[in-house]
Amino acid sequence: MTNSLKIKCLNIYENLAKEIIDKSSIINIKVGDLLYSKGETADCFYFIKDGLLALIDTSPNGAEILLRVFGNNFFIGHRSFIANEEFHASAEALKDSIVYKLPFKSTSDLLDQSPNILLHITQMLARDLRMSEERLNAFNGKRVASRIIDALVFLKQRQESYQWTRKEIGEFCGAKTETVTRTLSNLESLSLIAKDGRSIIIPDLQKLLDYKDALDLEA
Amino acid sequence: MTNSLKIKCLNIYENLAKEIIDKSSIINIKVGDLLYSKGETADCFYFIKDGLLALIDTSPNGAEILLRVFGNNFFIGHRSFIANEEFHASAEALKDSIVYKLPFKSTSDLLDQSPNILLHITQMLARDLRMSEERLNAFNGKRVASRIIDALVFLKQRQESYQWTRKEIGEFCGAKTETVTRTLSNLESLSLIAKDGRSIIIPDLQKLLDYKDALDLEA
DNA sequence: CGATAGATTGAGAGTTTTCAACCGATGTGG
DNA sequence: CCACATCGGTTGAAAACTCTCAATCTATCG
């Protein structure tokens, strides 16, 4: 996260703290539980005071994909709220979390009361759309190994403290657990990563990304 | 497109016509030419008066993906403009088009001058993010045949009059031209589609979608 | 220490791609 | 009007990548 973005998040948070928080209800959600489910009406959205959640979609055959990951000071549920749609995926707590249910009733309500928050959310949607489309491009043209490296790097930097599993890394980038394991073992044998028990260490990020770039060229 | 959305687009267009169009410059763009290229700075965005454009990204190895398709009365370039980022993909004219280059200088400029347009764009971003994530889910858990059917149906309804090629259908859903051909031939042999020269006819949309749903279950 | 979830490894299977050849329609210049 | 180039489409056979399934191992925790 860039510095300016960090500052913007803090501003949003300050903003929320001053004006809105007391009108919100506080939700405590336990690891593994859902904040909301795919298909439900999005008549509100949320702000994560402290925690880690993931937006997860499931294919009819059971395949799961981790669409987005939300940490402290992130909004969640805003996409469906803004689009005036049902939730298109489910929000699951990856660890015990504290979430505010925000008091806005409609998008124009949000525009009237807190245009800065609306602007912030608009920009977040624009960035998330880019990231989603970059992932589409990766699914289309790149090898699993490349996608796994991307997922590893992204998830680690999004939540350094969380122990991401092979399954979750695979669900983020469209790979099976076994494929993630094999790829990581290969990367370890190339000294591009190291393993400490179940956790993964990246000794030299640039070397890892250079290796990925080489993969992308030949794929 | 729902009726309410259609009305909203018209309103936006009326709005543009009255206040903004005369401050815009008109761009004529020929089929195959680029409105903008990946990596360029997005210091403005555009409105399509008449035409058809596609947002296309390319992998380092040359694989192309058709990220979005824009017809009459669509904005284009707004994502990068709003996010304050470089264009993450290139915009190519699929047929000769007339495009307005809009006069807004920044997102807050847009908020001040035309909050309705900002709201419209925000909602469009939210819907496009859903669609992109639904495609990620399809890449992850569904067969090519399923994705090809989705692409065929979506592209046809987005621009009925345009003759979509096998290559374009494949680039929209992550399949090679030959795979699209094979899949379409198979669908034809099942009487789920018909071919008239190069164009594809869907005699019974519901039957086709039912077939797709069955595919998704067993995949 | 045993139980359990997560990780690893191997062998075989399956889907989609790759490569190459060929067809057919469309359009252009001589 | 024909010859020919070109673009899009079709088909087949072989190759490649990733998955599936099954067995085994090992962190981690009560």
Side-chain angles (χ1 to χ4, degrees):
Chain A
M1 189 182 277
T2 63
N3 265 339
S4 69
L5 187 49
K6 215 177 262 173
I7 288 164
K8 176 163 266 168
C9 285
L10 285 176
N11 287 342
I12 290 292
Y13 181 65
E14 290 304 317
N15 205 348
L16 280 174
K18 287 191 204 116
E19 302 176 29
I20 297 162
I21 293 289
D22 19 312
K23 295 189 210 150
S24 300
S25 52
I26 297 178
I27 297 171
N28 278 284
I29 180 166
K30 291 222 159 297
V31 55
D33 287 351
L34 298 183
L35 176 61
Y36 58 76
S37 293
K38 180 175 179 169
E40 290 175 5
T41 304
D43 48 17
C44 68
F45 66 107
Y46 306 89
F47 178 82
I48 302 173
K49 168 83 171 117
D50 183 62
L52 185 68
L53 291 94
L55 184 67
I56 297 175
D57 196 6
T58 308
S59 285
N61 67 67
E64 297 207 327
I65 184 164
L66 223 159
L67 293 174
R68 275 176 273 158
V69 174
F70 308 84
N72 292 355
N73 300 333
F74 272 71
F75 291 102
I76 183 169
H78 52 291
R79 192 216 64 78
S80 304
F81 179 83
I82 294 282
N84 215 353
E85 295 176 339
E86 297 174 348
F87 294 117
H88 72 303
S90 302
E92 179 182 332
L94 298 184
K95 58 184 193 189
D96 292 355
S97 301
I98 302 166
V99 173
Y100 291 144
K101 175 174 173 162
L102 299 175
F104 305 106
K105 293 279 164 264
S106 69
T107 307
S108 51
D109 185 21
L110 178 59
L111 174 63
D112 294 340
Q113 286 187 49
S114 305
N116 283 335
I117 291 184
L118 178 65
L119 262 187
H120 171 79
I121 287 177
T122 302
Q123 296 194 325
M124 188 60 107
L125 289 171
R127 282 192 297 266
D128 282 338
L129 178 56
R130 170 181 49 75
M131 287 197 276
S132 178
E133 292 184 333
E134 285 172 350
R135 287 165 77 187
L136 278 178
N137 190 44
F139 266 96
N140 183 49
K142 296 178 181 174
R143 297 250 170 91
V144 227
S146 170
R147 301 201 308 267
I148 289 172
I149 292 173
D150 268 342
L152 178 65
V153 171
F154 175 81
L155 292 174
K156 269 185 87 81
Q157 78 121 37
R158 173 58 61 99
Q159 197 78 1
E160 191 75 45
S161 61
Y162 182 75
Q163 178 80 262
W164 297 98
T165 65
R166 314 313 195 231
K167 183 155 176 285
E168 286 163 340
I169 293 170
E171 283 173 358
F172 190 81
C173 68
K176 297 297 162 197
T177 306
E178 298 93 324
T179 305
V180 175
T181 290
R182 279 186 246 272
T183 301
L184 293 181
S185 295
N186 183 39
L187 293 175
E188 189 183 26
S189 76
L190 295 168
S191 302
L192 292 169
I193 64 168
K195 295 183 203 161
D196 177 20
R198 279 175 184 165
S199 75
I200 299 152
I201 296 147
I202 301 175
D204 186 336
L205 178 60
Q206 198 49 54
K207 266 176 74 175
L208 182 61
L209 295 178
D210 289 348
Y211 176 76
K212 185 191 109 73
D213 287 343
L215 275 184
D216 290 341
L217 278 173
E218 54 177 80
Chain B
M1 188 183 277
T2 63
N3 265 339
S4 69
L5 187 50
K6 218 177 261 175
I7 288 164
K8 175 162 267 168
C9 284
L10 286 177
N11 286 343
I12 288 292
Y13 179 65
E14 290 304 317
N15 205 348
L16 279 173
K18 287 189 204 118
E19 302 176 28
I20 296 162
I21 292 290
D22 19 313
K23 295 191 210 153
S24 299
S25 52
I26 298 179
I27 297 171
N28 279 284
I29 180 166
K30 292 222 158 297
V31 55
D33 287 351
L34 299 182
L35 177 61
Y36 57 75
S37 295
K38 179 174 178 169
E40 290 174 7
T41 304
D43 48 16
C44 68
F45 66 107
Y46 306 89
F47 178 81
I48 301 172
K49 168 81 172 117
D50 184 60
L52 186 67
L53 290 95
L55 184 67
I56 297 177
D57 196 7
T58 307
S59 285
N61 66 69
E64 296 207 327
I65 184 164
L66 224 160
L67 292 174
R68 274 175 274 159
V69 174
F70 309 84
N72 292 354
N73 299 334
F74 271 71
F75 291 101
I76 183 169
H78 52 289
R79 192 216 63 78
S80 304
F81 179 83
I82 294 282
N84 215 351
E85 295 176 339
E86 297 174 349
F87 294 117
H88 72 303
S90 300
E92 181 183 331
L94 297 185
K95 58 184 192 190
D96 293 354
S97 302
I98 301 166
V99 174
Y100 291 144
K101 174 172 172 162
L102 300 175
F104 305 106
K105 293 280 165 261
S106 69
T107 307
S108 51
D109 186 21
L110 179 59
L111 174 63
D112 293 342
Q113 286 187 49
S114 305
N116 284 335
I117 292 185
L118 178 66
L119 261 186
H120 171 79
I121 288 178
T122 302
Q123 296 192 326
M124 188 60 105
L125 289 171
R127 283 192 297 266
D128 282 338
L129 179 56
R130 170 180 50 74
M131 288 196 274
S132 179
E133 291 183 335
E134 284 172 349
R135 286 165 76 188
L136 277 178
N137 190 45
F139 267 96
N140 183 49
K142 297 178 180 172
R143 296 250 170 96
V144 226
S146 169
R147 301 201 307 268
I148 289 172
I149 294 172
D150 268 342
L152 179 66
V153 171
F154 175 80
L155 292 175
K156 267 184 89 79
Q157 78 121 38
R158 172 57 62 97
Q159 196 79 0
E160 192 76 43
S161 62
Y162 182 76
Q163 178 81 265
W164 296 99
T165 65
R166 316 309 197 232
K167 184 156 174 285
E168 287 163 340
I169 294 170
E171 284 173 357
F172 190 81
C173 68
K176 297 299 161 198
T177 305
E178 296 93 324
T179 305
V180 175
T181 289
R182 279 186 245 271
T183 302
L184 292 181
S185 296
N186 183 40
L187 292 175
E188 188 183 25
S189 76
L190 295 168
S191 301
L192 292 169
I193 64 168
K195 294 183 206 164
D196 176 20
R198 280 175 180 164
S199 75
I200 301 152
I201 296 146
I202 302 175
D204 186 336
L205 179 60
Q206 197 50 55
K207 264 176 76 178
L208 182 61
L209 294 179
D210 288 348
Y211 176 76
K212 186 191 108 71
D213 287 344
L215 274 185
D216 290 342
L217 279 173
E218 53 177 82

